[in-house]
Amino acid sequence: MIELKNINKSFNGRHVTQNFSCQFERGKTNLIIGESGSGKTVLLKCIVGLTEPDTGEVLYDGKDALKMGAKEKQNLRKEIGMLFQGGALFDSKTVEENITFPLAMFTNMTEKEQKERADFCLSRVNLKDAGNLYPSELSGGMKKRVAIARAIAPNPKYLFCDEPNSGLDPKTSILIDKLIKEITDEFQMTTIVITHDMNSVMEIGEKVVFICNNQKWWEGSNKTILNTENKELQDFIYVSKFLRELKEKSQG
Amino acid sequence: MLRRVFTVPQKWHVYQKEFFHEIDNLGISSLPIIAIISLFMGAVITIQAAFGFTSAWVPLYAIGYTTRDSVILEFSPTIISLILAGKVGSNIASEIGTMRITEQIDALEIMGVNSRSFLILPKIAACMLINPFLIIMSMFLGIAGGWLLGTLAGVVSTYQYVYGIQYQFNSFNITYALIKTVVFAFIISSVSAYHGYYTEGGALEVGKSSTRAVVYCSILILIFNFILTQLLLS
């Protein structure tokens, strides 16, 4: 489980995240949604340790990551898998080398075992035959899937996804969402997904946190979000005229 | 930054693989350009020396002597290092800069990899090891180019040229050149890596980092050339 307590972060006096507190449970896909510029990615960077919050606590199974020593922090990072917005695959390495890299770096697996693990992860994301390709030879959706395979290769306890659907068509987006959900269930990870895609929310949002004005504005699930009375969240969900009319019709 | 770079590698065999990749990427791939430049520069030095030595009191073997010392003392270690600052320096800065803006460095950090050490240490080690070989090759080719085009142009005979390059040969000159080369190799790799690593923004900033890296490397090479010459030769 990951717990955030009173996270505050500002850049040059401008508050990006204010008093953010929340719990993210194990085995669930937790979604953080909000408009562009609402501070979602900064919050995620604070959670994974790429940025240090000004104040607050980031608790991984009860241990504050901000108070950990270098060695402890490094051990924690070995339990983290992250899917970046653009995939962040290493351009100079093949797909297989990308996946085996964390294994070669932090495990005592033999090359054969690493290859087997890479094959398993690639088959898990339906890219069995892509091992010898370079990232430049992959489509956007394939890159995301390889990035997921790389993230799950070392069997992480925590999975973070920064806008996994950005730049993808709706069909591929749903595939990626389902994959994240399946992997979370299968490996019982604590998964946090940053998104502003309502399809993702409805598809995999077991827990949904809405950020507005750089604060936590609403908390619920995909089952309760459509009936929310929260005005800002309604504005976020029913942004198109079509959806607003659909909602009015359904309400009679 | 250098304190984080010079740490014990987290996994030796992974670093070793990166090191050999960098030897190929930064060293072996520079061979053709260095060979061409050295051959022609050696030839030009020879012809210019012959053009300058018009007095009957100056023996013709002085052409070989001048070419040898110019190539060994200054042309190969300094001018070739300046050329490598352009080629290798921009390569390092743009590669690491692109990794920064495409979040590849963040991905390394998230995995628990010391990104500074993993990305920069193999490059510094590769440059400091391979550049002396490149410079020695450049010395041979520069002197050979001078002989080849000097004899073809008829400005000096093979006997006079070979006598000139053997005349009062001081082996410390080679040591001096190699010391300079190693220092310049460190400057090229570390300064370029620094500019690449701290790139912020997008593609435009990667280009700017790359340009800045070449400019800073060139200036530092010239300054250290002066300092090392003062220290070692005066």
Side-chain angles (χ1 to χ4, degrees), chain B residues 57-72:
Chain B
W57 295 101
V58 180
L60 274 178
Y61 68 77
I63 296 170
Y65 175 85
T66 308
T67 305
R68 181 199 72 198
D69 276 0
S70 304
V71 167
I72 292 176

Side-chain angles (χ1 to χ4, degrees), chain A residues 126-140:
Chain A
N126 299 322
L127 282 174
K128 234 177 181 175
D129 303 320
N132 293 324
L133 298 176
Y134 279 89
S136 58
E137 297 171 291
L138 305 175
S139 69

Side-chain angles (χ1 to χ4, degrees), chain A residues 15-252:
Chain A
H15 293 288
V16 182
T17 303
Q18 285 183 312
N19 282 325
F20 192 95
S21 297
C22 195
Q23 284 187 354
F24 302 104
E25 285 169 41
R26 192 168 168 222
K28 275 190 177 177
T29 43
N30 304 279
L31 269 63
I32 299 175
I33 61 169
E35 291 170 17
S36 299
S38 59
K40 303 185 296 294
T41 300
V42 172
L43 180 66
L44 189 71
K45 284 187 173 178
C46 287
I47 300 172
V48 298
L50 286 175
T51 304
E52 202 161 302
D54 300 333
T55 56
E57 291 174 37
V58 180
L59 303 166
Y60 282 83
D61 293 321
K63 283 185 184 170
D64 190 354
L66 302 173
K67 287 179 184 154
M68 285 178 184
K71 187 81 188 161
E72 215 177 344
K73 210 173 258 184
Q74 203 177 27
N75 287 335
L76 171 69
R77 285 188 168 174
K78 288 174 197 166
E79 296 183 329
I80 291 176
M82 183 149 174
L83 170 59
F84 286 87
Q85 225 176 95
L89 299 175
F90 306 129
D91 297 324
S92 59
K93 297 186 191 302
T94 63
V95 164
E96 190 181 287
E97 286 167 344
N98 262 282
I99 297 166
T100 55
F101 178 75
L103 306 176
M105 206 68 191
F106 297 112
T107 69
N108 293 321
M109 282 179 162
T110 61
E111 277 191 23
K112 188 171 170 264
E113 287 168 336
Q114 289 172 25
K115 198 185 164 348
E116 279 169 7
R117 179 71 185 155
D119 287 344
F120 168 75
C121 293
L122 279 175
S123 64
R124 195 64 200 75
V125 297
N126 299 322
L127 282 174
K128 234 177 181 175
D129 303 320
N132 293 324
L133 298 176
Y134 279 89
S136 58
E137 297 171 291
L138 305 175
S139 69
M142 285 164 90
K143 276 183 190 166
K144 291 272 166 78
R145 282 190 279 163
V146 172
I148 292 175
R150 185 179 67 180
I152 62 167
N155 257 331
K157 278 168 77 177
Y158 314 98
L159 179 67
F160 300 96
C161 306
D162 187 8
E163 300 195 14
N165 305 328
S166 65
L168 300 180
D169 64 89
K171 207 175 158 186
T172 315
S173 293
I174 295 285
L175 274 176
I176 297 284
D177 286 338
K178 282 185 174 166
L179 196 58
I180 292 170
K181 176 84 180 81
E182 281 169 22
I183 286 165
T184 304
D185 291 342
E186 195 177 324
F187 301 106
Q188 281 299 297
M189 293 185 286
T190 308
T191 300
I192 299 178
V193 180
I194 298 283
T195 188
H196 40 60
D197 182 3
M198 278 311 292
N199 286 329
S200 298
V201 174
M202 299 317 295
E203 196 70 30
I204 60 168
E206 288 172 289
K207 173 166 184 164
V208 183
V209 178
F210 174 60
I211 297 183
C212 185
N213 296 328
N214 309 110
Q215 294 172 35
K216 186 170 88 175
W217 211 257
W218 183 88
E219 195 176 336
S221 73
N222 54 0
K223 294 189 176 69
T224 55
I225 196 167
L226 291 180
N227 303 317
T228 179
E229 297 297 320
N230 188 303
K231 191 187 168 303
E232 284 77 12
L233 183 54
Q234 279 186 351
D235 289 346
F236 179 78
I237 301 168
Y238 304 107
V239 68
S240 75
K241 195 182 165 202
F242 170 74
L243 284 173
R244 276 200 306 274
E245 285 174 358
L246 205 68
K247 188 187 177 233
E248 279 158 15
K249 266 185 200 168
S250 69
Q251 284 174 342

Side-chain angles (χ1 to χ4, degrees), chain B residues 36-64:
Chain B
I36 291 168
I37 292 171
S38 301
L39 268 173
F40 282 95
M41 284 301 286
V44 169
I45 290 169
T46 301
I47 292 167
Q48 282 178 348
F51 180 74
F53 299 153
T54 48
S55 166
W57 295 101
V58 180
L60 274 178
Y61 68 77
I63 296 170

Side-chain angles (χ1 to χ4, degrees), chain B residues 81-104:
Chain B
S81 289
L82 283 170
I83 288 159
L84 287 174
K87 185 189 174 288
V88 173
S90 63
N91 179 319
I92 293 174
S94 56
E95 182 190 324
I96 298 180
T98 305
M99 288 187 79
R100 166 63 74 195
I101 65 160
T102 55
E103 296 179 311
Q104 291 176 50

Side-chain angles (χ1 to χ4, degrees), chain B residues 16-231:
Chain B
Q16 200 179 25
K17 210 171 152 189
E18 287 299 309
F19 170 73
F20 286 115
H21 170 73
E22 297 302 347
I23 289 272
D24 180 44
N25 184 32
L26 305 176
I28 309 296
S29 69
S30 304
L31 280 174
I33 182 83
I34 289 175
I36 291 168
I37 292 171
S38 301
L39 268 173
F40 282 95
M41 284 301 286
V44 169
I45 290 169
T46 301
I47 292 167
Q48 282 178 348
F51 180 74
F53 299 153
T54 48
S55 166
W57 295 101
V58 180
L60 274 178
Y61 68 77
I63 296 170
Y65 175 85
T66 308
T67 305
R68 181 199 72 198
D69 276 0
S70 304
V71 167
I72 292 176
L73 290 173
E74 205 52 32
F75 167 70
S76 285
T78 308
I79 306 298
I80 292 293
S81 289
L82 283 170
I83 288 159
L84 287 174
K87 185 189 174 288
V88 173
S90 63
N91 179 319
I92 293 174
S94 56
E95 182 190 324
I96 298 180
T98 305
M99 288 187 79
R100 166 63 74 195
I101 65 160
T102 55
E103 296 179 311
Q104 291 176 50
I105 292 178
D106 287 345
L108 284 171
E109 289 286 334
I110 289 287
M111 287 175 194
V113 177
N114 175 353
S115 62
R116 289 177 190 87
S117 173
F118 178 74
L119 293 174
I120 301 171
L121 188 58
K123 288 180 173 39
I124 292 179
C127 276
M128 289 176 78
L129 185 85
I130 197 75
N131 281 19
F133 288 102
L134 293 176
I135 297 305
I136 289 170
M137 186 200 77
S138 162
M139 288 173 185
F140 273 109
L141 288 174
I143 293 169
W147 164 74
L148 187 70
L149 276 98
T151 49
L152 280 177
V155 296
V156 65
S157 70
T158 300
Y159 174 77
Q160 285 159 336
Y161 190 82
V162 172
Y163 183 78
I165 59 175
Q166 290 173 336
Y167 183 72
Q168 285 188 346
F169 176 68
N170 182 359
S171 60
F172 179 73
N173 287 356
I174 303 278
T175 312
Y176 158 76
L178 292 181
I179 291 171
K180 285 207 301 187
T181 301
V182 173
V183 173
F184 297 160
F186 178 76
I187 291 171
I188 293 167
S189 49
S190 58
V191 171
S192 313
Y194 173 85
H195 285 284
Y197 195 87
Y198 290 103
T199 302
E200 274 180 15
L204 193 66
E205 281 72 21
V206 173
K208 282 180 184 171
S209 292
S210 182
T211 308
R212 238 189 340 259
V214 175
V215 171
Y216 278 90
C217 284
S218 304
I219 292 169
L220 283 170
I221 284 172
L222 293 174
I223 292 169
F224 273 85
N225 187 33
F226 172 73
I227 294 169
L228 288 169
T229 306
Q230 273 290 102
L231 286 173

